Amino acid sequence: MTHITALYAGILALIWMGLAYRVVKGRWKHKVNIGNGANEDMERRIRVHANAAEYMPLALILLALLELAGVGHLWLHGLGIVLVVARVLHAVGFSKSSGASFGRYWGTLLTWLVVTVMALANVVHFFM
C-alpha cells in the first residue's frame, strides 16, 4: 500500500472538490448552466478547477511510483507537502486574478519543480 501517497491524494482530492464546489457556486451566482457564459469570474473558476485536474493526477502517479520504489518517507512527505502548498497557492492566486499574482506564480513554479524532481527521480531510479 502506498500510505503516504494515499494521504496526499486524499488532501488533494479535498482541494479539488472545493474547487469543483466553487464552479457550481459560480454557476448559481451567475446563472450559467454550461460553459462560462462569457463571464470572466466563471472562466477563472473553471480554469482553476481544470488546472488542478491537469496536474494533480500525474503528480500523484509519480509520487506513488517513488513510494513503491522505496524512496524514504521524509522525501515523500517533503514532495507531497510542496505539491499541496503549490496547488493551494495556485488556486488562491488564480482565483483572485486572471493576471500575474504571487500565488499563481509560486504555485505554478513549485508545481513544475516538484513534478520535474519526481519525474527525474523516477528515471534515475530506473537506471540504478
Side-chain angles (χ1 to χ4, degrees):
M1 176 69 185
T2 52
H3 297 289
I4 295 171
T5 301
L7 169 66
Y8 294 103
I11 293 168
L12 291 170
L14 291 172
I15 292 168
W16 189 81
M17 289 303 298
L19 297 174
Y21 174 74
R22 286 191 74 249
V23 172
V24 171
K25 190 174 161 186
R27 292 193 182 288
W28 295 335
K29 176 181 176 182
H30 300 295
K31 297 180 180 21
V32 175
N33 292 325
I34 191 165
N36 62 24
N39 180 294
E40 184 182 340
D41 179 55
M42 277 305 303
E43 176 67 19
R44 209 170 35 252
R45 288 172 190 244
I46 291 166
R47 281 305 311 144
V48 169
H49 181 248
N51 187 277
E54 293 161 2
Y55 281 98
M56 287 178 181
L58 175 61
L60 288 169
I61 289 168
L62 291 168
L63 186 65
L65 292 171
L66 290 173
E67 187 168 4
L68 290 169
V71 170
H73 292 183
L74 289 178
W75 277 102
L76 295 170
H77 281 296
L79 293 165
I81 289 167
V82 171
L83 181 59
V84 168
V85 168
R87 298 319 305 164
V88 168
L89 282 171
H90 184 272
V92 170
F94 195 11
S95 292
K96 292 182 178 183
S97 169
S98 296
S101 70
F102 174 88
R104 191 172 182 193
Y105 174 82
W106 284 102
T108 300
L109 183 64
L110 289 172
T111 298
W112 287 3
L113 179 66
V114 76
V115 168
T116 300
V117 166
M118 291 190 297
L120 290 171
N122 274 288
V123 170
V124 167
H125 187 266
F126 173 81
F127 288 106
M128 293 184 85

